[in-house]
Structures are given as structure tokens and as C-alpha cells.
Amino acid sequence: MGALRGRLWLILVLLTLGCASSRTNVPSLGDLPARFPDHSAEEIMAALPAYPEQMERVFAETRIALSSPEESGRFSAKISYLHPESLFVRVTFPMGIEGARVLVAPDQAWVYDRIEKVVWTGSPARVSEVLPGAVADMDLVEMAMGFEQPDPNETWSVQTDSTLYLLTNEAGSVRYTIDPSLWRVVAVREMDTSGLIVEQRWFSDFAEVERVLLPRRMALSRPPEDFRVSMALRRIEFMPEVVSFDLNPSTDAQWIDLGQ
């Protein structure tokens, strides 16, 4: 189970990553807006882009480097996404061995370990509970593609750090770093009640893909678990004609229903 969970940590990351391909380079720091550093929290949040319509269907290829106590290594993945209905991930290990497939829908999830020939299925919440990190909410895809936004129902304070805005919620548990030259989130930090960092995410090397600004590199760190992953984006296709969501398990695979 340990090796499987290590691979599923990777899958969680794949569900939280951004994508880029045929692209025009964008400077890491453009011109700051005229009113910097005097924007309000409401103005900053209003400037952040929503998930774009031209990314309703997406196919992407990525390379990932993973480091954790359970497993370390380099992997590749092919991701098909139909917003907001279905997500399909094929994970390939070194030497071209396809190790896992994951299919996620709003009410059901399937994790197919091709090496062990086991299919785990159940509600996304139940699969996540039994196989930590294996499945995530569909909104995580939007988050990781760089379209995560602060909760408008919370109260946010604004600070500046050189050329960046820092938005921190009233509880001090979440902090967003926003580059106003791009109007994109470039980092997110989550903390526990004692102030210790439980997770950090970074987005960098932004580029335009069909007039959509996306991060080409992403890193995620969970210090309490000694877990870190980074991803480099190879290519992406918007609105592909064919998007595969076929789990296609072997006829002798064992099925384990985890329930709802």
C-alpha cells in the first residue's frame, strides 16, 4: 500500500497543476499598474481572471519531479479535462511504463493501479479518505491552472512586498501573493492555527497560450509531510476534437468499492 500511496500523492499533484504549450513568452515582471500599491482587496480580487471558456476541453502533457518519504522520482502524465465534468490522468513512470490511471467525476472516482491490477472506486470524498491524495475536488484543477482566487466571503487585508501584493485572510490561515503586473496569483501559503506552514504553492514562468496567461512551472510543498513536487509543462491543446476518458482496466483487475 505504501508504494501505491506514493504514486497517488503524485496523482493529487496532477489534479492541482497548470498547463502550457505553444506560447508567447511573458516577462516575469511587466509594468506595474499606475495605482500600485494603493489597490483595495476588492479591486485586486476583481482583477484576477476567472477560468476561461476556451479551456472547456483541455489535453496536456507534463513532467513531474516528486520527493517524499514514501517515494521520489520523475514521472510524466497525460491529462484530459472536460470542465467541470470529468478529469482523466494517465501516469507514466520511467522506461515508459504506464503505472496508473485516474478518472474523476463530480460524484464518483476511479483509481486504477495498472501495476497491482487494482481498481479503487467510490465517491471522491471516500476515495480521498482511504487513499490520501488520490482524488481531489474538481475545483482543484482550476486552482492549479493558476485560476485560484481568494474567497470573496472572507475579509482580506492587503500588504505589499516590493512589486507584489499580499492578501491575508482575517484568521491568518491563508496568504495569496499576487503579481499586479500580470494580475495573477504567483504563490499561496496555508497555515495551521499555530502559524506553522502546512502547504505552499508557487506558480512561475507565465506564458500566453491562445491569449490565455498560464504558468509553465508549478511547485508544491507540504513541510509537515516532507513532501515536495515540481512540474514542468510540455504542451497543451485547447478544445481538442477527441478527449479520452477510458479507464480500460484489465479483465483480471480486482475491483474494490470504497462506498459513498
Side-chain angles (χ1 to χ4, degrees):
M1 183 67 124
L4 173 61
R5 289 192 174 184
R7 291 193 289 271
L8 294 179
W9 271 119
L10 166 66
I11 293 165
L12 168 63
V13 175
L14 294 174
L15 299 183
T16 62
L17 296 181
C19 308
S21 177
S22 306
R23 56 232 179 195
T24 302
N25 288 337
V26 175
S28 57
L29 287 176
D31 295 330
L32 289 170
R35 292 186 50 234
F36 182 85
D38 297 322
H39 292 86
S40 67
E42 290 75 18
E43 290 172 325
I44 294 170
M45 290 189 288
L48 297 175
Y51 190 86
E53 292 182 1
Q54 58 263 53
M55 292 180 65
E56 179 184 0
R57 295 197 312 274
V58 170
F59 174 78
E61 295 182 358
T62 66
R63 289 192 182 277
I64 303 100
L66 171 71
S67 175
S68 75
E70 292 183 325
E71 184 168 340
S72 296
R74 296 181 180 275
F75 313 86
S76 63
K78 295 181 179 180
I79 304 170
S80 298
Y81 180 49
L82 177 61
H83 174 77
E85 300 174 7
S86 301
L87 177 71
F88 184 60
V89 182
R90 301 168 72 111
V91 181
T92 302
F93 302 115
M95 305 300 292
I97 300 172
E98 185 181 334
R101 296 175 185 171
V102 178
L103 176 60
V104 185
D107 300 321
Q108 193 76 9
W110 299 261
V111 177
Y112 175 32
D113 186 331
R114 296 186 73 244
I115 296 175
E116 301 295 335
K117 295 186 177 180
V118 177
V119 179
W120 308 77
T121 185
S123 68
R126 180 59 179 155
V127 173
S128 295
E129 177 185 344
V130 177
L131 303 175
V135 179
D137 190 282
M138 297 299 292
D139 290 342
L140 265 177
V141 177
E142 298 184 24
M143 175 202 73
M145 286 186 174
F147 298 103
E148 181 178 9
Q149 298 191 11
D151 186 345
N153 296 317
E154 293 195 52
T155 300
W156 298 88
S157 62
V158 181
Q159 296 175 300
T160 57
D161 180 5
S162 181
T163 58
L164 303 171
Y165 278 125
L166 306 178
L167 264 61
T168 307
N169 65 353
E170 193 170 18
S173 58
V174 182
R175 189 184 78 181
Y176 288 85
T177 301
I178 296 163
D179 183 345
S181 71
L182 304 174
W183 287 121
R184 296 304 302 267
V185 172
V186 295
V188 183
R189 174 181 294 180
E190 299 180 9
M191 293 154 282
D192 63 17
T193 55
S194 67
L196 293 177
I197 298 172
V198 295
E199 181 171 303
Q200 297 183 95
R201 300 184 291 279
W202 298 270
F203 305 89
S204 62
D205 197 11
F206 282 81
E208 283 188 349
V209 183
E210 299 182 22
R211 298 186 301 279
V212 177
L213 190 62
L214 297 173
R216 288 185 287 184
R217 297 185 182 277
M218 181 268 192
L220 182 147
S221 172
R222 292 195 177 113
E225 297 153 9
D226 194 20
F227 173 80
R228 182 179 176 85
V229 69
S230 61
M231 185 191 74
L233 307 161
R234 297 184 61 193
R235 77 179 186 93
I236 189 173
E237 183 180 355
F238 291 175
M239 306 298 284
E241 293 184 3
V242 178
V243 179
S244 173
F245 293 90
D246 189 1
L247 197 67
N248 195 25
S250 62
T251 56
D252 59 344
Q254 177 187 7
W255 286 72
I256 299 178
D257 189 346
L258 301 174
Q260 301 300 308

